[in-house]
Amino acid sequence: MTETITYSLAGQEDLNIGNGTFDVTLADGRVVTLHQISHNSFPMPTATLSTLPAAGTAGREYYLTDIEALVIDNGTAWVTSPPGRGVFFADATSGADLDSVLNTLIAAMPAGGGTIDARGFTGTQACNATITLSKPVKLLLGNCTITSTATPIFDVTTSGAAVIEGNSRAQTIIQTTSASQTAIRVNTTAPCRVSKLTINHSGSTKSSGAGISLTAPANQNELSRIEDLSIQDQWIGVHSLNAARWVVRECHIKDYKGQGVTVENQAAVDYGQSTIINCVIEHAATTAGLYGVYQLSASTLRVVDCTITGGQYGVAIDAANTTLWTTISRNTISGQSSACIGLYRTSGSATFTGVLISENVLVCLAGIGVLCTSAGIFYLTITNNDITIASPNQGIYLSAVTLAYIAGNVIAGNAASAIGIQMDSGANAVHIGENSYYQLGTTVINNATTSFMQALNARGTISIDPGSIAATSRGAITWTLTGAVTTDRISMEPPAGLHDDLVFAGASITGTNTVTVYLYNPTASPIDDGANTWKYTWSRAIWPSW
């Protein structure tokens, strides 16, 4: 049987260059082994990436010995074979500067895009025009500093996924030079990944713009990834506007002039949370208006495993419009002037629904640990945080909230005027479970008007005279415990001086402010014991009511 193998995809499937063998899967599933073809068998010149002549004569072919690849001149750029599925080499393409080279290459690429290797551009690269990724491009940047007067410097508009990847934070730098510039704008509904580079600023202080802007005015940009970046001296480090389900991971955002990360107008219908994780967001100043993370009228945000220092607020949540399902967990937040975490509303009558603040380390010696100041906040849970404050501030201050649960926190102060938890008249249905308090003047101040409950674990003593208990009878002796309710628990320890023949038969809270102690006389005669001092433990467990 004779079978014809058509060599149609040079360099990838049927025809393979090298000095060994490779496998090919046939249409019927059989696998055959073919010999690679030595590049020496081709009547074509060889070169390396650094010695490859400039593109411009369509049809020329070179074998690149340093990367073992066949490249073809398409008239504009050198492209790895086969055309339309290869790598475009920017440094072998004619152009006055990096922006003209990249824009020329992208225009020449097929609609399906491809990879542009611009790692051959090194040193300072001055650009004058926006570099527009209008096709699905993976752009590789090398050891260079890109400066530009354009805004944005890079604009991602493709309807397909795009990637901008540097060598490392230390080697690849994009530098803004004007006060209102944005470095990279993702202006599409398609996802984009930006990684391994630094965005910094040289020039007059930033007053607008962002290092990274995730935006799509008419639609949602979804699933973008911002990873392993250093962003310095920008007005906003990362700005999410009309975006959702993105991740900002392992980034260092420093000395922002407005906010480290701003999230606004994220769709409430989207239940896939956007996430800020493993980031360092820092500012040396504590000036008003400096926020590490600023959530404005946005939904489903997670801030997890981050270190946030300085600014007025570490995390500020402004519900000028409806804000849903925010999680702030396992962060270290310190050094703010107003609060480590602030929840408030600057305008309107919208609501927060579902804010979880859990397992954070909060150190705010100039302000408040958790500050909640606006009506319309529902389902607030504050649990298992370590909060350190200085006099005369509060660890947790709720001036307005409905349905809150606070438990498992350790709140420590440094003076007698420090306050653990304070609630004002706007706080409604606040349940306070067991928390630990250290070096505070006051543990809890309750100025709330409705539905306040607090967990208890109180110990004390009480003198009880049971009087005469008839033979073979149980006596019930009541005493007053102010504040006790029937859902509480009481445990009592009989005194050593209790009459030998009296049997302690338990105790319970039988009514508001009332405890009943039961003693049994098993003898054939009445017993009239005298007064004795009993020890008791009074406890109340509190759980959320929603």
Side-chain angles (χ1 to χ4, degrees):
M1 175 181 174
T2 301
E3 183 169 352
T4 300
I5 300 175
T6 302
Y7 300 104
S8 59
L9 295 175
Q12 292 204 19
E13 292 182 7
D14 305 312
L15 184 61
N16 200 293
I17 300 172
N19 296 306
T21 61
F22 67 102
D23 291 338
V24 174
T25 302
L26 304 180
D28 62 0
R30 288 180 298 137
V31 177
V32 297
T33 299
L34 301 179
H35 287 281
Q36 293 179 308
I37 302 173
S38 172
H39 69 84
N40 294 323
S41 302
F42 286 96
M44 68 173 66
T46 62
T48 64
L49 272 173
S50 60
T51 62
L52 193 65
T57 304
R60 289 187 298 170
E61 295 181 321
Y62 273 78
Y63 180 76
L64 301 183
T65 57
D66 54 343
I67 63 171
E68 296 185 348
L70 178 67
V71 294
I72 299 174
D73 187 344
N74 68 1
T76 303
W78 288 103
V79 186
T80 55
S81 179
R85 296 179 60 183
V87 177
F88 292 73
F89 296 100
D91 56 324
T93 304
S94 299
D97 44 37
L98 181 61
D99 57 282
S100 61
V101 168
L102 294 181
N103 284 327
T104 297
L105 278 177
I106 293 168
M109 295 175 81
T115 298
I116 296 177
D117 189 337
R119 289 175 291 186
F121 282 86
T122 60
T124 300
Q125 300 293 326
C127 300
N128 297 309
T130 293
I131 299 166
T132 302
L133 278 64
S134 57
K135 295 172 182 175
V137 172
K138 181 178 182 179
L139 174 60
L140 303 177
L141 300 172
N143 187 358
C144 65
T145 297
I146 300 170
T147 65
S148 179
T149 57
T151 186
I153 298 174
F154 290 90
D155 198 14
V156 182
T157 62
T158 175
S159 58
V163 174
I164 300 174
E165 181 178 311
N167 267 356
S168 70
R169 296 186 197 180
Q171 293 181 320
T172 306
I173 299 171
I174 300 172
Q175 189 171 88
T176 55
T177 57
S178 71
S180 58
Q181 235 177 335
T182 290
I184 300 174
R185 181 175 68 173
V186 181
N187 191 24
T188 173
T189 59
C192 178
R193 179 167 64 84
V194 182
S195 65
K196 299 181 182 178
L197 54 84
T198 286
I199 298 172
N200 64 18
H201 179 71
S202 176
S204 56
T205 302
K206 294 295 291 286
S207 57
S208 61
I212 303 285
S213 177
L214 302 174
T215 179
N219 298 291
Q220 295 291 306
N221 171 264
E222 291 191 293
L223 301 175
S224 287
R225 297 292 181 266
I226 311 301
E227 301 173 329
D228 194 15
L229 302 188
S230 177
I231 304 176
Q232 304 171 15
D233 297 310
Q234 301 296 311
W235 176 251
I236 300 173
V238 178
H239 186 193
S240 169
L241 177 65
N242 304 315
R245 293 194 292 174
W246 44 259
V247 173
V248 177
R249 181 192 302 272
E250 296 177 356
C251 293
H252 183 190
I253 302 173
K254 181 180 180 181
D255 293 338
Y256 49 87
K257 307 309 175 185
Q259 299 89 42
V261 180
T262 293
V263 186
E264 57 179 316
N265 296 346
Q266 182 169 301
V269 297
D270 177 74
Y271 295 105
Q273 287 187 314
S274 295
T275 301
I276 305 168
I277 184 170
N278 288 334
C279 292
V280 175
I281 303 173
E282 63 176 322
H283 205 296
T286 58
T287 310
L290 294 176
Y291 306 154
V293 176
Y294 183 39
Q295 184 183 12
L296 174 64
S297 308
S299 299
T300 61
L301 174 66
R302 296 173 66 240
V303 183
V304 183
D305 295 327
C306 294
T307 298
I308 305 173
T309 58
Q312 180 184 2
Y313 291 99
V315 178
I317 306 175
D318 182 354
N321 292 309
T322 301
T323 298
L324 301 172
W325 317 127
T326 296
T327 299
I328 305 169
S329 182
R330 303 197 307 268
N331 305 285
T332 298
I333 306 175
S334 64
Q336 288 72 35
S337 58
S338 289
C340 293
I341 300 171
L343 289 73
Y344 57 89
R345 186 173 62 206
T346 55
S347 62
S349 57
T351 60
F352 296 85
T353 301
V355 178
L356 171 63
I357 300 171
S358 180
E359 299 182 57
N360 301 283
V361 175
L362 309 178
V363 181
C364 201
L365 301 183
I368 297 167
V370 179
L371 174 64
C372 183
T373 63
S374 297
I377 301 173
F378 294 88
Y379 305 116
L380 171 64
T381 301
I382 305 173
T383 58
N384 301 317
N385 300 282
D386 289 337
I387 305 174
T388 302
I389 56 170
S391 175
N393 296 314
Q394 301 90 346
I396 299 171
Y397 182 30
L398 309 179
S399 66
V401 67
T402 299
L403 295 172
Y405 177 58
I406 304 171
N409 302 286
V410 177
I411 305 175
N414 69 343
S417 56
I419 301 166
I421 301 171
Q422 180 172 335
M423 291 157 292
D424 285 351
S425 59
N428 178 36
V430 177
H431 290 185
I432 300 180
E434 291 192 33
N435 299 278
S436 298
Y437 306 97
Y438 299 95
Q439 292 186 291
L440 302 172
T442 306
T443 57
V444 177
I445 294 177
N446 176 30
N447 296 320
T449 55
T450 58
S451 304
F452 165 71
M453 296 186 70
Q454 181 178 359
L456 292 170
N457 190 15
R459 294 174 175 84
T461 59
I462 184 70
S463 179
I464 298 176
D465 185 346
S468 180
I469 299 176
T472 63
S473 299
R474 187 184 75 167
I477 305 96
T478 61
W479 60 278
T480 299
L481 180 60
T482 302
V485 295
T486 56
T487 53
D488 294 346
R489 296 291 180 265
I490 192 78
S491 174
M492 298 194 68
E493 180 181 332
L498 185 67
H499 193 286
D500 289 343
D501 290 328
L502 288 177
V503 179
F504 174 53
S508 64
I509 299 174
T510 52
T512 301
N513 303 327
T514 301
V515 178
T516 301
V517 179
Y518 301 98
L519 294 173
Y520 178 64
N521 175 10
T523 70
S525 302
I527 297 175
D528 188 354
D529 197 15
N532 284 287
T533 299
W534 294 62
K535 295 179 181 179
Y536 68 86
T537 300
W538 171 28
S539 62
R540 175 185 298 154
I542 295 296
W543 302 99
S545 59
W546 58 85

